[in-house]
Amino acid sequence: MNAGDLVSILKTIDGGDQKLRDLVNLHTVDALACLAAGAGAIEGSSLLAFYRETGAGNAISSAAGASAVIRFTEWDAIHVPSCATSGAMALPAALIFAQDYEAYVRAVAAGHAIGLALSEAVGGVSALPETWPGLFAAPAVAAVSAAIALGLSDEQIAQALVLSMAGSSGRHGRPSGMPSARWLVIGEATLKGIRAALAAKAGIMGDLELLSPGWMKGQAAAAVALEPNHVDPLAIEQMGMKPFVSARQGVNAIQAFRHLLEKGVDPNAVDSVEVFLPPVAAPVVSRRLVAEDRLSTIAHLGLQLGIAAFEPARLMDVGRARPFNAEVLAFAQRVTVTADDTLVGEGWPARVVVSAKGQTHEAVWPQTSGEGAQVMLDRKIGSLPATTAQRLQRLQATLAEAGTAAVQEASSLLLTFTDASLPRSEAA
């Protein structure tokens, strides 16, 4: 499957489809809410400052910084089986170039489609930790989104795609420290993708046969040939929004535990919590807790359940800069995580068993009473400073009108949120 074949599938995307428009609108506001939350955190602010200082403050550097910060939050939407987090790249790249609403919708949808396709073909969850599928696909997501937003021809879009992927890989090691290169590489991948689109516009040409079966297999042991069935024009429909700042592997367990708390379980009376997860999900959320390491506090499921029990607002705390209460840390010690291969189904289902004063309480998630996307988005917006929340709520209404003004307003918000540090969220 060469790049031209892939682009021919992307060109079937209908920017006038109402269902697609609603999804793009939802994810636009969600990504910008993540950006606003991340910009108020110390590390997010540092990343944005880097891109402002090294990118002359132009829109392209703003898009790169926005991508890095949206992904940094660990609150952005994800497609679980493929580990694709395409919105972080697609939305900023499309917003800085789209001149009308329909082109914007097509650009965002196409970016998600190529992101999911490449992330799946490189192996998805099975490629970890050797290759990070979301990083592998990131340059292509930005390139395709930017190219379509710019109104480039099919040939130029295909060239942008291969130019963006030449020399790329999803291997980033295990960077430590703060600010972390884990997020910088996302910004740099977005920057590369945007420049690939501009290079294609300028007539620079690459190898349209680059994405060959042999090349794909060289990217990860789990990779397979990229096939037409990997490319779904409605891929954005498969992206799941996150209700909390959390490793996606632990979200269902947090939801199950919160459900038990709502049913009357007293966290002060809890003797132990047993969490059962699919084997592929358990290792990430059961590593040793390092309270000073932000990513550790976001992944460690024991701490996350302690937060849910005693500091629930901090489930929306992106920065994790303040120390956690002693009762939260003590509760974390009472949580065990066990891999259970009987838990099957998409989305990494979880079973949580709580023992309290001799009684056992159990919940399994996901279940049919789970929260809708708009409920999750409203909670996210509600955790932000009032002025920021109002601007995002106003954007939701403007996007529903499906006009050029909506794209301009969303683009203006992206530039505002990346221009300077924002007030911290209520959770922080």
Side-chain angles (χ1 to χ4, degrees):
M1 184 179 187
N2 69 27
D5 297 329
L6 196 157
V7 170
S8 69
I9 299 173
L10 298 181
K11 292 296 285 186
T12 67
I13 294 171
D14 179 7
D17 180 78
Q18 190 59 52
K19 179 180 180 181
L20 182 57
R21 289 181 170 202
D22 290 342
L23 287 166
V24 169
N25 292 349
L26 180 77
H27 284 281
T28 298
V29 179
D30 183 61
L32 289 173
C34 287
L35 174 57
I42 294 172
E43 189 169 1
S45 176
S46 297
L47 286 164
L48 292 177
F50 168 77
Y51 280 103
R52 286 196 302 274
E53 292 163 7
T54 61
N58 60 24
I60 294 174
S61 62
S62 292
S67 291
V69 172
I70 291 168
R71 189 74 276 278
F72 149 79
T73 64
E74 290 285 358
W75 209 357
D76 53 325
I78 184 172
H79 177 252
V80 171
S82 71
C83 295
T85 50
S86 309
M89 291 69 69
L91 289 150
L95 277 177
I96 64 169
F97 290 118
Q99 296 301 305
D100 65 78
Y101 179 77
E102 186 168 330
Y104 173 66
V105 170
R106 288 190 286 106
V108 171
H112 279 83
I114 187 61
L116 191 147
L118 287 171
S119 296
E120 280 191 332
V122 85
V125 173
S126 299
L128 298 170
E130 174 193 15
T131 298
W132 180 7
L135 174 61
F136 170 70
V141 174
V144 167
S145 295
I148 292 177
L150 283 163
L152 303 190
S153 68
D154 291 7
E155 169 70 17
Q156 289 172 317
I157 296 168
Q159 294 290 352
L161 170 59
V162 296
L163 288 171
S164 73
M165 292 304 288
S168 294
S169 83
R171 299 179 180 90
H172 72 306
R174 292 189 177 277
S176 59
M178 188 188 82
S180 172
R182 179 176 177 84
W183 318 117
L184 178 69
V185 293
I186 293 293
E188 295 300 287
T190 299
L191 194 62
K192 182 182 181 185
I194 291 172
R195 289 186 60 79
L198 294 174
K201 182 182 180 183
I204 297 174
M205 304 180 74
D207 177 8
L208 294 182
E209 302 293 333
L210 176 69
L211 308 178
S212 66
W215 184 85
M216 285 298 304
K217 194 62 182 175
Q219 307 310 309
V224 299
L226 185 62
E227 300 287 353
N229 65 334
H230 285 121
V231 188
D232 179 6
L234 274 176
I236 192 172
E237 185 177 20
Q238 301 181 49
M239 304 300 293
M241 289 170 57
K242 284 186 180 180
F244 314 112
V245 178
S246 172
R248 181 58 183 82
Q249 291 90 335
V251 164
N252 284 325
I254 297 170
Q255 292 280 52
F257 181 65
R258 288 177 72 246
H259 176 71
L260 293 176
L261 294 178
E262 290 167 0
K263 291 292 185 181
V265 170
D266 179 2
N268 293 293
V270 171
D271 300 310
S272 65
V273 180
E274 297 176 276
V275 178
F276 299 89
L277 293 172
V280 70
V284 170
V285 298
S286 56
R287 294 175 186 156
R288 183 176 69 88
L289 174 63
V290 180
E292 298 77 23
D293 180 346
R294 173 183 171 270
L295 275 182
S296 178
T297 70
I298 289 172
H300 192 276
L301 195 50
L303 184 73
Q304 290 284 70
L305 297 191
I307 294 170
F310 296 106
E311 293 188 84
R314 295 199 68 185
L315 289 172
M316 280 73 76
D317 176 10
V318 169
R320 303 292 170 101
R322 287 191 291 109
F324 290 97
N325 292 345
E327 56 191 355
V328 169
L329 296 172
F331 192 92
Q333 302 301 313
R334 300 198 287 272
V335 179
T336 59
V337 178
T338 301
D340 183 350
D341 56 15
T342 68
L343 288 170
V344 296
E346 292 189 4
W348 296 324
R351 182 164 67 94
V352 174
V353 181
V354 175
S355 297
K357 292 186 175 180
Q359 293 187 315
T360 299
H361 311 268
E362 181 173 332
V364 177
W365 213 270
Q367 58 185 32
T368 56
S369 60
E371 292 177 320
Q374 189 59 54
V375 173
M376 288 188 277
L377 179 55
D378 288 343
R379 184 196 299 119
K380 185 177 295 186
I381 293 173
S383 74
L384 299 170
T387 301
T388 302
Q390 289 165 5
R391 297 187 72 173
L392 289 167
Q393 289 162 349
R394 185 168 61 247
L395 176 63
Q396 288 188 90
T398 307
L399 284 166
E401 297 174 1
T404 301
V407 180
Q408 293 172 343
E409 184 173 336
S411 178
S412 176
L413 276 183
L414 182 144
L415 296 176
T416 297
F417 293 162
T418 57
D419 182 55
S421 298
L422 295 175
R424 294 171 185 267
S425 69
E426 294 299 320

